Amino acid sequence: MALYEGIALIQEKQAVVLDLGTDYTKFGFTGEAAPRCIIRSEFWCTSERRYKRVHDYHTAEELYDNLVHMLHLLYFRHVLVNPKERKVVVVESLLTPTLFRETLAKVLFTHYEVSGVMWADSPRLCAITLGTPIALIVSIGAREAEVCAVVHASVVLHAIQSQPIAARAIHDELSRLLDEDNNTELHLPDHIIEDIKVKACFVGPRERALQWLEDKGPTPAKSVQYPLSGRAPITVSGRSRELAAEPLFTRDNELASLPDIVLQCIIQCPIDARRALAENILVTGGTASMLGLKARLAHELRYLVTQPPYSDRLYVREFKFHKSACHDNVCAWTGGALAAAADGGARALPRDVFTRSRRLRDWPCLLDNAPPHPRPRPANL
Amino acid sequence: MAYLTQPDYVKYVCSCGQLKPITSLYFCRHCLKIRCGFCICHEVDSHYCANCLENMPSSEARLKKNRCSSCFDCPSCFHTLSTRATLAQPRQPVADAAGGDTKVENKQPKKMYYLSCFNCRWTSRDVGIPDQPVASGGWPERTNPFTTRFNQLLDYYKAIAQQEKQEKLERERKKFAIRGKYLTLTDKTGLTGAMARNIAGLPSSESGSSATIANFTPSQASSEVEELPEDIFTKDVNLKLSTSMAQRLASPAWQPISVSRLHPLAKLLSVKRSQRCRACDHNLTKPEYNPGSIKFKIELLAYYHVPEVKIISFESAKPGAKSALLLKLTNPTGHEMRMQLLRPEDLPPDDKEEPKSLDKSLEKSLNLEKDTSLYQWMQRRPVLSGPCTVNAPSTELTLAQRDDAAEYDDDAHHDAGGIILWRKSNKLALRLEVETSESATPGTEANATLALQYSYRNTVPPAANAQPHRDHTLYTVVTLQLGLVAG
């Protein structure tokens, strides 16, 4: 056994890819097509005697503790490797809070003594799974829907769109509709709402959504009785099944619905990339696998682009969609596994560099995004 | 059992500042400090299957993706699956059966095996997995449907990374290549290297990577997206036929949507961990290799080294009043222990700068990797303020060493007067006074802090050149939960 370990020491240890989502955490090795585990981002907190979510924190110290416990769970219960002297690829959103990034860096570098961390943003990693030079990434996760344009391996930063229309919005709407169906306040826990959504809900086409707004709606789909342990079963009507995801498509004066932010992202991109972006859309994230969501988004885009304010500003009429080489919910993770396996983690931030400088590069920081100083003129000229 | 089920009334302050019960603390005999699970370094020691208690070498575990080859979990309820045997008559061709009865008799009924869950009654037959002729192993394995595309992408990006690396090298070389005075052969003939290769019929120099890059097809977008199934508005929903989120995510590569696609999950291995002190790199615990054994080769638990404080009983604290508190102190070590109770304010400041020998500090300065200043992020400032203070007596207490035989002695020595209530082998009970501050609001938690000074005899054989320094005076701080402040 010792001999094999020796060989492993000579080779670079296989790095791990970490995608700490709001609801689900994806964790596995680089160069593998699927993560080793997808688990809820929560851990058993012994002092509070309850399951605690990683993203529930008030202070930096609490977040540090949460991350230590979560990573311990991932490393020693699921992936079963020594974190020490092994590289990590962190898949993050471009809009991750600075506090979260920096605390995660401290936990990885000091607590787990990893040898290097590669910070990779999810839109570019999603684009990597396609192999196309230009892609429009629509990622619908737990909390937010983010639309990012990736043009030749760089994200068009000023065109990033983000709105809180994702799984949480659907859950809230679904629990409201269920209350209406059953004429009581049900107060269902979140995992039951999620289960109902996953098993019964779908996104109806655009025409039916318009019909629902009228007084007499279309013939609803079949309703279903959902059994609850220790309670009477509840009714999930066809209307609830169909309309649960409607908050993603409801338009108001803010123009903040999902198809709107996709179009706005395209408008804010350079004019010569717009047509290519519209023809290379990738809808990803856990919520994207909801039945009928992609079809509805395509229909809405094709309709909205002919309407003001887009009709006279955006002259693309064709929208094409990609299918990625993985399940929707692990797209960014797979990109991370590809990117790090290809270059062997050469882009990772090594531990000794972090120890010396104690800071991370970040795109909003002027130290990293400003052009280098012009060389001062020699005094004798 | 009280340690497992009851709340922790007495907590110790770890050297990193965390408050933990004594059962979850470690004691490093080399640093003479209390450590906890938070501030030590965990390491994977050995892999084993928790179901069949079979050890697996780490290289094999890596190959098998940390899964046991013979144990399976139920994909529906995650309980362990059991192998069931049935007798199956080998199927005969019809003509053969009609032809001669003797042949049928010759064929023995064969034992066939399938997997079944005793908890939810799921069986491998439900999803059409054929029965197996052998009891363990041999179950059909599924391949990830995305593997081929993933490998194409991986090859493509590897080729790109390779090309980038080469270009970088080329640039470096060009920077330093000094053109000689003399004409080279290619200059004279007007041949470039690439042309020469072409004429000679050799493949161009970077063919390997560029071919992969040229042959790669990026993902093709289509204007068609998967529409809703036609019958979704008319068909009844059967909740039992679609999987829950947990069932889908249990197999990340497949994520089956329908129950009929569930597949037995190979059981995930477990690991034995060894734990190491970050400051001195000595092992604090090291388990035995045998998976069936729950013993340790090294276990430096605080429970065996640090005096244990237990609350016998207490009067409820009233604001501005004094109340009684009965404590039990236990000496777990094999040596006599002298102890004194202190107030936490009276603790001597942590003298970090011990006189060190020259070569030790040299060694430290050479060892740049071990930058201890990084560990400041791990430090916590414990909350030690409480409305109550324990009036610490100034007398020194002596506790006898632990004696297993004395456990059976049940006559305790009652000391008349003084603060010692009784004494029994390595334990003693104290009667203390607790003062509650006037400003304490009734209903809040009455917490008190107490510091202990105790003598500790180090049994680690000293290093050859170090002078034997065996008796130490150590300090520890405990917090006591004394219920709520009475109104």
Side-chain angles (χ1 to χ4, degrees), chain B residues 311-350:
Chain B
I311 301 173
I312 298 175
S313 68
F314 58 85
E315 284 177 357
S316 59
K318 286 193 183 77
K322 287 182 179 173
S323 53
L325 165 69
L326 301 185
L327 285 186
K328 186 167 90 172
L329 303 178
T330 314
N331 169 17
T333 62
H335 305 277
E336 202 180 70
M337 192 177 261
R338 290 185 314 283
M339 230 200 269
Q340 195 171 5
L341 302 185
L342 302 170
R343 284 181 305 168
E345 304 90 83
D346 298 340
L347 278 184
D350 234 0

Side-chain angles (χ1 to χ4, degrees), chain A residues 324-338:
Chain A
S324 145
C326 51
H327 292 280
D328 284 327
N329 52 355
V330 293
C331 194
W333 184 93
T334 314
L338 276 170

Side-chain angles (χ1 to χ4, degrees), chain A residues 17 19 30-33 35 89 91 118 120-130 324-327 330-342, chain B residues 150 153-154 157:
Chain A
V17 185
D19 184 354
T30 58
E32 289 184 4
V89 181
V91 179
M118 179 171 150
D121 53 287
S122 60
R124 279 195 288 181
L125 293 181
C126 289
I128 273 182
T129 60
L130 299 179
S324 145
C326 51
H327 292 280
V330 293
C331 194
W333 184 93
T334 314
L338 276 170
Chain B
F150 184 85
L153 284 163
L154 191 56
Y157 287 113

Side-chain angles (χ1 to χ4, degrees), chain B residues 249-261:
Chain B
L249 299 180
S251 56
W254 299 279
Q255 305 195 12
I257 288 175
S258 126
V259 170
S260 61
R261 306 280 299 156

